[in-house]
Coordinates of all heavy atoms in Angstrom, one line a residue:
P254 N -152.3 -82.9 2.7 CA -153.3 -82.6 1.7 C -153.2 -83.5 0.4 O -152.2 -84.2 0.2 CB -153.0 -81.1 1.3 CG -151.5 -81.0 1.5 CD -151.2 -82.0 2.6
E255 N -154.3 -83.4 -0.4 CA -154.2 -84.1 -1.7 C -153.4 -83.2 -2.6 O -153.3 -82.0 -2.5 CB -155.7 -84.2 -2.3 CG -156.5 -85.2 -1.5 CD -156.0 -86.6 -1.7 OE1 -155.8 -87.0 -2.8 OE2 -155.8 -87.3 -0.7
L256 N -152.8 -83.9 -3.6 CA -152.1 -83.1 -4.6 C -153.1 -82.3 -5.5 O -154.0 -82.8 -6.0 CB -151.3 -84.1 -5.5 CG -150.5 -83.4 -6.7 CD1 -149.3 -82.5 -6.1 CD2 -149.9 -84.4 -7.6
D257 N -152.8 -81.0 -5.6 CA -153.7 -80.1 -6.4 C -152.8 -79.3 -7.4 O -152.1 -78.4 -7.0 CB -154.4 -79.1 -5.4 CG -155.3 -78.2 -6.1 OD1 -155.2 -77.9 -7.3 OD2 -156.3 -77.7 -5.5
L258 N -152.8 -79.8 -8.6 CA -151.9 -79.2 -9.6 C -152.2 -77.8 -9.9 O -151.3 -77.0 -10.3 CB -152.0 -80.0 -10.9 CG -151.2 -81.3 -11.0 CD1 -151.3 -82.0 -12.3 CD2 -149.8 -81.1 -10.6
E259 N -153.4 -77.3 -9.7 CA -153.7 -75.9 -9.9 C -153.0 -75.1 -8.9 O -152.4 -74.0 -9.2 CB -155.2 -75.6 -9.8 CG -155.6 -74.2 -10.2 CD -157.0 -73.8 -9.9 OE1 -157.9 -74.7 -9.8 OE2 -157.3 -72.6 -9.7
L260 N -152.9 -75.6 -7.6 CA -152.2 -74.9 -6.6 C -150.7 -74.9 -6.9 O -150.0 -73.9 -6.6 CB -152.4 -75.5 -5.2 CG -153.8 -75.2 -4.6 CD1 -153.9 -75.9 -3.2 CD2 -154.0 -73.7 -4.4
V261 N -150.2 -76.0 -7.4 CA -148.8 -76.2 -7.8 C -148.4 -75.1 -8.8 O -147.4 -74.4 -8.7 CB -148.5 -77.6 -8.3 CG1 -147.1 -77.7 -8.9 CG2 -148.6 -78.6 -7.2
H262 N -149.3 -75.0 -9.8 CA -149.0 -74.1 -11.0 C -149.1 -72.7 -10.5 O -148.5 -71.8 -11.2 CB -149.9 -74.4 -12.1 CG -149.6 -75.7 -12.8 ND1 -150.5 -76.4 -13.6 CD2 -148.6 -76.6 -12.7 CE1 -150.0 -77.5 -14.0 NE2 -148.8 -77.7 -13.4
R263 N -149.8 -72.4 -9.5 CA -149.9 -71.0 -9.0 C -148.8 -70.7 -7.9 O -148.7 -69.6 -7.3 CB -151.2 -70.7 -8.3 CG -152.3 -70.5 -9.4 CD -153.7 -70.5 -8.8 NE -153.8 -69.8 -7.6 CZ -154.7 -70.1 -6.6 NH1 -155.5 -71.2 -6.8 NH2 -154.7 -69.5 -5.5
G264 N -147.9 -71.7 -7.7 CA -146.8 -71.5 -6.7 C -147.3 -71.5 -5.3 O -146.6 -71.0 -4.4
K265 N -148.4 -72.2 -5.0 CA -148.9 -72.3 -3.6 C -148.7 -73.6 -2.9 O -148.8 -73.7 -1.7 CB -150.5 -72.0 -3.6 CG -150.9 -70.7 -4.3 CD -150.5 -69.5 -3.4 CE -151.0 -68.2 -4.0 NZ -150.4 -67.0 -3.3
M266 N -148.4 -74.6 -3.7 CA -148.2 -76.0 -3.2 C -146.9 -76.5 -3.9 O -146.7 -76.3 -5.1 CB -149.3 -76.9 -3.5 CG -149.1 -78.4 -3.1 SD -150.4 -79.5 -3.5 CE -151.4 -79.4 -2.0
T267 N -146.0 -77.2 -3.1 CA -144.8 -77.7 -3.7 C -144.8 -79.3 -3.6 O -144.9 -79.8 -2.5 CB -143.6 -77.2 -3.1 OG1 -142.4 -77.8 -3.7 CG2 -143.5 -77.4 -1.6
P268 N -144.8 -80.0 -4.8 CA -144.5 -81.4 -4.7 C -143.1 -81.7 -4.2 O -142.2 -81.0 -4.6 CB -144.7 -81.9 -6.2 CG -145.3 -80.7 -6.9 CD -144.9 -79.5 -6.1
V269 N -143.0 -82.6 -3.2 CA -141.7 -82.8 -2.6 C -141.2 -84.2 -2.9 O -141.9 -85.2 -2.9 CB -141.8 -82.7 -1.0 CG1 -140.4 -82.9 -0.4 CG2 -142.3 -81.3 -0.7
F270 N -139.9 -84.3 -3.3 CA -139.2 -85.6 -3.6 C -138.0 -85.7 -2.7 O -137.3 -84.8 -2.4 CB -138.8 -85.5 -5.1 CG -139.9 -85.2 -6.1 CD1 -140.3 -83.9 -6.3 CD2 -140.5 -86.2 -6.7 CE1 -141.3 -83.6 -7.2 CE2 -141.5 -86.0 -7.6 CZ -141.9 -84.7 -7.9
F271 N -137.8 -87.0 -2.3 CA -136.6 -87.3 -1.5 C -135.6 -88.1 -2.3 O -136.1 -89.0 -3.1 CB -137.0 -88.1 -0.2 CG -137.8 -87.3 0.7 CD1 -139.2 -87.2 0.6 CD2 -137.2 -86.6 1.8 CE1 -140.0 -86.4 1.5 CE2 -138.0 -85.8 2.7 CZ -139.4 -85.7 2.5
G272 N -134.3 -87.9 -2.1 CA -133.4 -88.7 -2.9 C -131.9 -88.3 -2.6 O -131.7 -87.5 -1.6
S273 N -131.0 -88.9 -3.3 CA -129.6 -88.6 -3.2 C -129.1 -88.4 -4.6 O -128.9 -89.4 -5.3 CB -128.9 -89.7 -2.5 OG -127.5 -89.6 -2.7
A274 N -128.7 -87.2 -5.0 CA -128.2 -87.0 -6.4 C -126.9 -87.7 -6.5 O -126.6 -88.2 -7.6 CB -128.1 -85.5 -6.6
M275 N -126.1 -87.7 -5.5 CA -124.7 -88.3 -5.6 C -124.8 -89.8 -5.9 O -124.0 -90.2 -6.7 CB -124.0 -88.1 -4.2 CG -122.5 -88.6 -4.2 SD -121.5 -87.7 -5.5 CE -121.1 -86.2 -4.6
T276 N -125.7 -90.5 -5.3 CA -125.8 -91.9 -5.6 C -126.9 -92.3 -6.6 O -127.2 -93.4 -6.9 CB -126.1 -92.7 -4.3 OG1 -127.3 -92.2 -3.7 CG2 -125.0 -92.6 -3.3
N277 N -127.6 -91.2 -7.2 CA -128.6 -91.4 -8.2 C -130.0 -91.9 -7.6 O -130.9 -92.2 -8.3 CB -128.2 -92.3 -9.3 CG -127.0 -91.8 -10.1 OD1 -126.8 -90.6 -10.0 ND2 -126.3 -92.6 -10.8
F278 N -130.1 -92.0 -6.3 CA -131.3 -92.6 -5.7 C -132.4 -91.5 -5.8 O -132.3 -90.4 -5.3 CB -131.1 -92.8 -4.2 CG -130.3 -94.1 -3.9 CD1 -129.5 -94.7 -4.9 CD2 -130.2 -94.6 -2.6 CE1 -128.7 -95.8 -4.6 CE2 -129.4 -95.7 -2.3 CZ -128.7 -96.3 -3.3
G279 N -133.5 -91.9 -6.5 CA -134.7 -91.0 -6.5 C -134.6 -90.0 -7.6 O -135.6 -89.2 -7.8
V280 N -133.5 -89.9 -8.5 CA -133.4 -88.9 -9.5 C -134.4 -89.2 -10.6 O -135.1 -88.3 -11.1 CB -132.0 -88.8 -10.0 CG1 -131.9 -87.8 -11.2 CG2 -131.1 -88.3 -8.9
E281 N -134.5 -90.5 -11.1 CA -135.4 -90.8 -12.2 C -136.8 -90.7 -11.8 O -137.6 -90.1 -12.6 CB -135.1 -92.2 -12.7 CG -135.7 -92.5 -14.0 CD -135.4 -93.9 -14.6 OE1 -135.0 -94.8 -13.8 OE2 -135.4 -94.0 -15.8
P282 N -137.3 -91.2 -10.6 CA -138.7 -90.9 -10.2 C -139.0 -89.5 -10.2 O -140.1 -89.1 -10.6 CB -138.8 -91.6 -8.8 CG -137.7 -92.6 -8.8 CD -136.6 -92.0 -9.6
F283 N -138.1 -88.6 -9.7 CA -138.3 -87.2 -9.7 C -138.5 -86.7 -11.1 O -139.5 -85.9 -11.4 CB -137.1 -86.4 -9.1 CG -137.1 -85.0 -9.4 CD1 -138.0 -84.1 -8.9 CD2 -136.1 -84.5 -10.3 CE1 -138.0 -82.8 -9.3 CE2 -136.1 -83.2 -10.7 CZ -137.1 -82.3 -10.2
L284 N -137.7 -87.0 -12.1 CA -137.7 -86.6 -13.4 C -139.1 -87.0 -14.1 O -139.7 -86.2 -14.8 CB -136.5 -87.1 -14.2 CG -136.2 -86.5 -15.6 CD1 -136.2 -85.0 -15.6 CD2 -134.9 -87.0 -16.2

Side-chain angles (χ1 to χ4, degrees):
E255 290 293 309
L256 179 65
D257 184 333
L258 280 184
E259 191 190 331
L260 287 179
V261 171
H262 291 165
R263 281 168 42 211
K265 304 289 183 190
M266 174 184 271
T267 179
V269 180
F270 303 82
F271 292 88
S273 160
M275 184 61 81
T276 57
N277 299 339
F278 288 10
V280 175
E281 192 175 27
F283 161 71
L284 192 50

